[in-house]
Amino acid sequence: MSREFLLEEKIIAVKKSHFEGVGVVGGLDRGCTLTKVLFSTVKDDEHYNLHFALFKNSHFEAGLDYLKEKGMVVQVPGAKLHVTGAGCDMHRELIKQKLGLEIQFINEFLTQGRGTHWLIGCADDSEICYPEPELDMSEFEGLQANNFLQKLIEKAKKDLGEPIEGQKFPCMMLFMGSGGGIMKIEENGMSDMVGGLWFAGRSFLGLSKLLLGTDDYDEILELASKGRRNNVDTEVKDVLANDPNSPYGQLPPNLPVFPFGKAVDTDKTLADLSREDLANSIVFSFAYNAFTNLALAAQTSKIPKLYMGGNFFRHELIRAEILKIVRLFTGESIALKFLITGHTGAIGAMISKPEDEFKYLAFMQQQAQQAPDGANSPA
């Protein structure tokens, strides 16, 4: 019964040695929109299979039933299930009642950094990241040799340095679920929250509800895949001369510069626009906004290895369009990968101990009193 509400489930194999000190090999993260269920099965003598199951919050109890049906590896008898996210704090008693386990709530600002570091550190990118989609660069054909763009690529290489093959850390991670933020993660697991996203997944769904009449992620992306944002957005060709001698340089004519700009340019109203075109504009406005924030943080920190994670990036359409812009303006200067799961919070909860949370909260109190610049959060 609970499986019918399952949005998706992914599995990766992880060596048992990475779970030293973990009481229950599983976790739970109920955010403001989705519930991330993490559980484990034994693959062989040396590995556990980690299962990443996803449910809508409206089917939260189905997610709990699913977790109970599948079970979890309990390495320490009597250990508590570690949970995180605003919804898990709100529904503590329901979780205990459904699962028959005592729970330990872990602060989600701690869990995101720890979970991301653990996931990247214990598996190859090929196992935990989406494969790079085939990119259709035809709309930018001939521009790669453009002198202006080449200067931008050279600047990106100078600002960021070249990615080092096989080096995992330091890295920058942008996570985008209902909310979003950007973390710098070091080799030793220390993380620094270097930025936040004012417009993230919950705002994406809210704006879609207002303009499209739906807040269903899959429906929004299906609409967007059939739409053309150039019917909604102001593009370079609408405001700049397509002239190599222009003082603005020769930018791609079809590059959007003002989302929804044509509502002003042509005095269009909602009735004049298709849902598909509006969806396309909404999706890429949020996607580009997220990436430009990440790129700025990477440039400031001089870190070329970047990850984007969270359930906003589940659809290939979003990932492909971001990568097209990355290739156009930075060449191979940025090593950008998309994590296959938005369960980094649940992972971080699973591996964290109560004393880690106390240490983190003490650190935050110290930060509030001293307000030092550029300090890192503890591992």
Side-chain angles (χ1 to χ4, degrees), residues 122-173:
C122 72
D124 293 333
D125 281 354
S126 60
E127 299 174 89
I128 62 172
C129 297
Y130 287 103
E132 184 166 316
E134 187 174 341
L135 303 180
D136 179 10
M137 302 292 288
S138 58
E139 63 183 299
F140 305 132
E141 189 173 351
L143 288 174
Q144 285 83 352
N146 177 273
N147 187 48
F148 178 73
L149 292 179
Q150 284 301 311
K151 288 182 178 178
L152 288 179
I153 292 173
E154 290 169 10
K155 184 177 187 304
K157 289 180 178 178
K158 181 179 178 182
D159 289 344
L160 296 171
E162 294 285 350
I164 300 174
E165 186 68 28
Q167 180 175 307
K168 296 188 174 188
F169 301 102
C171 69
M172 305 292 290
M173 164 65 172

Side-chain angles (χ1 to χ4, degrees), residues 5 17 25 125 132 149 193 212 246 291 315 363:
F5 300 114
S17 58
V25 185
D125 281 354
E132 184 166 316
L149 292 179
M193 184 71 76
L212 306 176
S246 165
F291 174 71
H315 201 286
F363 173 83

